[in-house]
């Protein structure tokens, strides 16, 4: 273990940690000078929310039932949503490019902004343009009441699924003046989303410490109600296969596939210090005479390898860059077409 001192308590107030942002040296993503508070602790077992979860509806929403019926009948292609956070025009343009090409968009908060449209409103904007939406919901900016309101609105909107993440701390974004909320963490939010009738997805980061307990952490999220696991960049299909084998059945897997189509997006990807990529992946894009064509071909190749892993029901095409939103949307659409 790293020689860093142990942080006393999780800055995100997580009960069921650690999050996926732990550094490769075990450092906390918020305070890199200290070890993650969860590293020396055994996996925290799911014991339920310490407050009531409200009255669950009879079964799933109609949209959730449709999603569950479709997953596994054929591979799903889920794409990130490369749009400007507060621009309806940008959302409309991105939706026009991706509609009819992908099975759903993973519409979480844009990574380069902290001020966002509310998740249910963003889903409404996208679905009116013909896109099926898998909504990302983070706990950073919302207390439990606001989270329950979003889940109710998302049920009315009829989203394909809800992706529950704890979220980045405000100190890591461009609005450090905003107070972090973290009333719940992703595991607790999973239970609320399931009670609201949604298909619930969670994230897993097999390459982040504690590597030997990441599968056990996912199993506790399954106990809380998770249906689908989006597997963060783990270094290729072989590490994903090992993780799926270790975590086991009881959940469907959708691994992330990196999409890098130019030198600037390669630089951006490499700036994420806790992201694992296959050896030589970025270098192949950099060395190519046509980085865009090479990046698209690499993504198709990796996606096909991921889809061959037992238990995998789809892939998440993951990529985007500020200032090149439409170009990235077009690349994601092209990859999806080739995979079909």
């Amino acid at each position: 273990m790293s020689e860093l001192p142990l942080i006393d308590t999780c800055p995100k107030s997580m009960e069921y940690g650690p999050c996926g942002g732990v550094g490769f040296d075990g450092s906390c993503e918020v305070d890199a000078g200290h070890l993650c508070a969860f590293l020396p602790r055994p996996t925290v077992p799911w014991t339920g929310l310490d407050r009531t979860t409200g009255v669950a509806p009879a079964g799933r929403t109609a949209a959730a039932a449709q999603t569950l019926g479709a997953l596994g009948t054929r591979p799903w292609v889920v794409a990130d949503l490369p749009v400007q956070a507060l621009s309806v025009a940008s959302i409309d343009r991105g939706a026009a490019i991706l509609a009819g090409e992908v099975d759903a968009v993973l519409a979480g908060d844009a990574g380069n902004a902290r001020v966002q449209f509310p998740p249910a409103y963003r889903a409404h904007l996208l679905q009116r343009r013909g896109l099926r939406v898998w909504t990302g919901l983070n706990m950073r900016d919302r207390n439990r009441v606001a989270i329950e309101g979003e889940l109710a609105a998302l049920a009315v909107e009829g989203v394909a699924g809800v992706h529950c993440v704890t979220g980045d701390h405000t100190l890591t974004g461009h609005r450090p003046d905003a107070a972090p909320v973290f009333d719940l963490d992703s595991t607790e939010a999973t239970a609320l989303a399931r009670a609201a009738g949604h298909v619930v997805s969670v994230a897993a980061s097999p390459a982040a410490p504690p590597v030997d307990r990441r599968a056990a952490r996912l199993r506790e999220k399954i106990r809380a109600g998770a249906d689908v696991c989006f597997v963060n960049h783990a270094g290729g299909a072989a590490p994903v296969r090992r993780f799926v084998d270790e975590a086991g059945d009881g959940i469907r897997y959708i691994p992330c596939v990196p999409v890098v189509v130019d030198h600037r997006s390669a630089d951006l990807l490499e700036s994420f210090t806790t992201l694992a990529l296959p050896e030589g992946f970025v270098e192949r894009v950099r060395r190519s005479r046509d980085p865009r064509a090479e990046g698209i071909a690499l993504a198709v190749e990796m996606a096909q390898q991921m889809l061959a892993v037992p238990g995998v029901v789809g892939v998440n095409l993951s990529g985007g860059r500020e200032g090149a939103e439409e170009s990235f949307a077009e690349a994601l659409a092209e990859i999806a077409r080739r995979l079909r």
Side-chain angles (χ1 to χ4, degrees):
M1 184 178 287
S2 170
E3 297 300 321
L4 292 171
L6 184 69
I7 199 168
D8 291 332
T9 58
C10 175
K12 298 180 182 180
S13 303
M14 294 185 71
E15 295 184 42
Y16 297 95
C19 71
V22 181
F24 289 136
D25 61 352
S27 59
C28 169
E29 74 168 4
V30 182
D31 180 1
H34 288 78
L35 281 175
C36 167
F38 286 95
L39 284 194
R41 300 171 58 186
T43 301
V44 181
W46 170 248
T47 57
L49 286 168
D50 57 359
R51 291 154 287 183
T52 60
T53 58
V55 179
R60 307 276 191 159
T61 67
Q66 184 180 30
T67 299
L68 291 173
L71 285 173
T73 60
R74 58 171 175 75
W76 270 43
V77 177
V78 180
D80 281 1
L81 180 67
V83 298
Q84 297 169 29
L86 295 175
S87 170
V88 174
S90 177
I91 289 173
D92 285 347
R93 289 193 295 269
I97 294 169
L98 291 169
E101 304 291 355
V102 300
D103 293 286
V105 289
L106 184 58
D109 287 353
N112 58 355
R114 283 288 179 261
V115 182
Q116 310 274 341
F117 284 142
Y121 178 60
R122 183 167 54 225
H124 171 75
L125 292 174
L126 290 163
Q127 295 202 151
R128 71 185 179 129
R129 295 296 183 183
L131 266 177
R132 183 188 281 127
V133 175
W134 202 301
T135 294
L137 184 63
N138 82 70
M139 307 297 109
R140 176 187 58 239
D141 306 314
R142 303 170 180 89
N143 65 13
R144 177 174 172 168
V145 171
I147 293 164
E148 289 180 337
E150 285 290 346
L151 290 171
L154 290 166
V156 172
E157 189 59 39
V159 295
V162 175
H163 186 57
C164 294
V165 296
T166 302
D168 298 329
H169 199 281
T170 54
L171 292 176
T172 64
H174 80 292
R175 289 300 302 273
D177 57 313
V181 180
F182 296 117
D183 192 12
L184 304 175
D185 61 28
S186 60
T187 308
E188 294 166 320
T190 293
L192 283 182
R194 181 65 178 264
H198 293 287
V199 169
V200 187
S201 65
V202 295
S205 299
V211 173
D212 61 340
R213 300 206 305 276
R214 285 293 173 180
R217 168 114 168 83
L218 175 60
R219 286 194 290 271
E220 297 308 317
K221 292 183 179 182
I222 297 172
R223 293 183 62 213
D227 300 290
V228 176
C229 174
F230 281 81
V231 185
N232 290 335
H233 302 292
V240 168
R241 182 183 289 269
R242 288 194 295 270
F243 178 74
V244 170
D245 288 344
E246 184 180 359
D249 299 329
I251 198 165
R252 303 162 177 85
Y253 296 90
I254 299 180
C256 295
V257 172
V259 178
V260 185
V261 296
D262 56 30
H263 285 233
R264 288 181 63 186
S265 60
D267 294 341
L268 177 64
L269 200 64
E270 288 184 322
S271 71
F272 301 135
T273 56
T274 59
L275 186 142
L277 296 172
E279 185 175 356
F281 186 90
V282 174
E283 287 74 13
R284 282 183 61 177
V285 177
R286 289 190 190 280
R287 291 196 305 265
S288 175
R289 292 183 179 181
D290 189 341
R292 184 178 183 84
E294 182 69 13
I296 289 173
L298 278 171
V300 171
E301 177 184 340
M302 184 184 293
Q304 291 170 336
Q305 293 170 355
M306 295 290 195
L307 291 171
V309 175
V312 168
V313 298
V315 290
N316 170 217
L317 305 180
S318 176
R321 176 172 64 78
E322 188 175 8
E325 290 86 2
E326 290 175 54
S327 176
F328 260 92
E330 290 165 355
L332 298 175
E334 173 62 22
I335 295 166
R337 282 193 292 271
R338 294 192 190 186
L339 288 173
R340 297 219 182 280

